């Protein structure tokens, strides 16, 4: 960040009075610009013994398989964001959304929320950011061609939980630096 | 947003190619500036039959009681953010953080995560944004002087759950507009 997006003046990077970390502060109007983590919301859509995956049409990880997910927008709930991304990427409608994995991806300041969801119908198809959408049973999952570690985690947890018949929230912190705020696992 | 924070030029507000909603786009460098919801992380710290509340020293709702919570920062996990806010606002250390309420506050594009947590010790005190910190039993809670609806919700749910002995995740969407993405409650 080099300029204030309110008045267009240059910014400096220093700790504001009463704060404890440096922020971008406008040299003209004094506005303090805060940078905060972004939420990625998505679904793990289930139909009978299969799950729905999307083949990515865009970078990063073009050509690899993923769950439908993307950045949450202003003016929606986390569940609405997860359902909207599923509709946009897979033209798929889902119900009964239940928070399943909550992952803080600390190095990139993202919080990923994946909802377990039931696919409403089989009229899905590739959206703009997707080249293919398919249902996969456990032994059909393209484990070597998954786009992200968080997707692999969610699928691994899901098939393990399905054998037990319970689907608790899985709370994961990735690459958490050592420090005083570490919670017990 | 009036100016690009990368190059300082003016921005226009229109739908970028391949997108489906208007964004702020730089007229000079073409950067697309996305606005996304912010996460508020905090704790409901418990000691025996009491919970810890903070009296706010700052607006909004100065002088009213709240749970220690605040905006999650880049470079931390949601649990670290919740514990950090508890340390900053109440000089209190907590353990065994468990996600308890997840509230999408749609009109202000915030997602609030309150963690149920055990207070490590009784050496708490008011932080910079707090004028008083106290432990309250259920019949001592200042219900008429709570700062926010989400805090009232979390406390109401906690005392009800405590009678049942189970503390499931409560997933709440506040002021969700009607629409196709509404999940079943």
């Amino acid at each position: 960040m080099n300029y204030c997006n309110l008045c267009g003046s240059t910014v400096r990077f220093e700790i504001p009075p009463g704060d404890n970390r440096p922020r971008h502060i406008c040299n003209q109007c004094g506005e303090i610009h805060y940078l905060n983590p972004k939420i990625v919301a998505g679904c793990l859509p289930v139909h009978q013994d299969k799950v729905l995956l999307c083949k990515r049409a865009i970078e990063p990880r073009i050509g690899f398989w993923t769950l439908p997910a993307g950045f949450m927008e202003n003016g929606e709930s986390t569940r609405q964001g997860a359902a909207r991304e599923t509709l946009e990427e897979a033209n798929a409608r889902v119900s009964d959304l239940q928070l399943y994995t909550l992952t803080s991806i600390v190095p990139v300041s993202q919080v990923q929320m994946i909802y377990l969801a039931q696919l409403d119908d089989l009229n899905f198809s590739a959206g703009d950011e997707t080249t293919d959408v398919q249902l996969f049973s456990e032994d059909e999952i393209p484990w070597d061609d998954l786009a992200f570690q968080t997707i692999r985690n969610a699928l691994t947890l899901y098939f393990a939980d399905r054998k037990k018949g319970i689907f608790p929230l899985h709370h994961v912190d990735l690459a958490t630096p050592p420090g005083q705020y570490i919670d017990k696992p």
Side-chain angles (χ1 to χ4, degrees), chain A residues 111-173:
Chain A
V111 175
Q112 190 192 74
M113 299 185 189
I114 298 293
Y115 284 83
L116 203 54
Q118 296 300 312
L119 204 53
D120 286 351
D121 57 67
L122 299 183
N123 299 323
F124 53 79
S125 60
D128 288 344
E129 301 183 354
T130 305
T131 57
D132 195 6
V133 184
Q134 286 186 35
L135 287 171
F136 294 88
S137 63
E138 182 175 3
D139 58 9
E140 294 168 339
I141 296 282
W143 293 105
D144 292 336
D145 294 316
L146 295 177
F148 305 109
Q149 181 64 41
T150 53
I151 304 302
R152 172 184 291 268
N153 286 355
L155 292 171
T156 302
L157 290 164
Y158 173 71
F159 290 116
D161 283 345
R162 200 171 64 175
K163 292 176 178 61
K164 295 179 253 175
I166 53 165
F167 303 93
L169 171 65
H170 295 279
H171 201 303
V172 180
D173 296 344

Side-chain angles (χ1 to χ4, degrees), chain A residues 51-71:
Chain A
V51 302
L52 181 144
L53 296 178
C54 300
K55 196 171 195 174
R56 290 175 64 82
I58 55 170
E59 294 291 358
R61 300 292 280 165
I62 187 170
F64 289 81
W65 292 90
T66 191
L67 294 169
F71 288 110

Side-chain angles (χ1 to χ4, degrees), chain A residues 38 40-41 69 101-105 110-114 150-151:
Chain A
K38 291 182 189 293
V40 172
T101 62
L102 171 62
T103 308
S104 293
I105 313 172
Q110 286 182 12
V111 175
Q112 190 192 74
M113 299 185 189
I114 298 293
T150 53
I151 304 302

Side-chain angles (χ1 to χ4, degrees), chain A residues 1 16 48 77 83 86 96 112 114 128 132 136 154 160 171 174 180:
Chain A
M1 184 181 297
Q48 296 176 355
S77 71
T86 306
D96 299 327
Q112 190 192 74
I114 298 293
D128 288 344
D132 195 6
F136 294 88
H171 201 303
L174 288 183
Q180 60 183 311

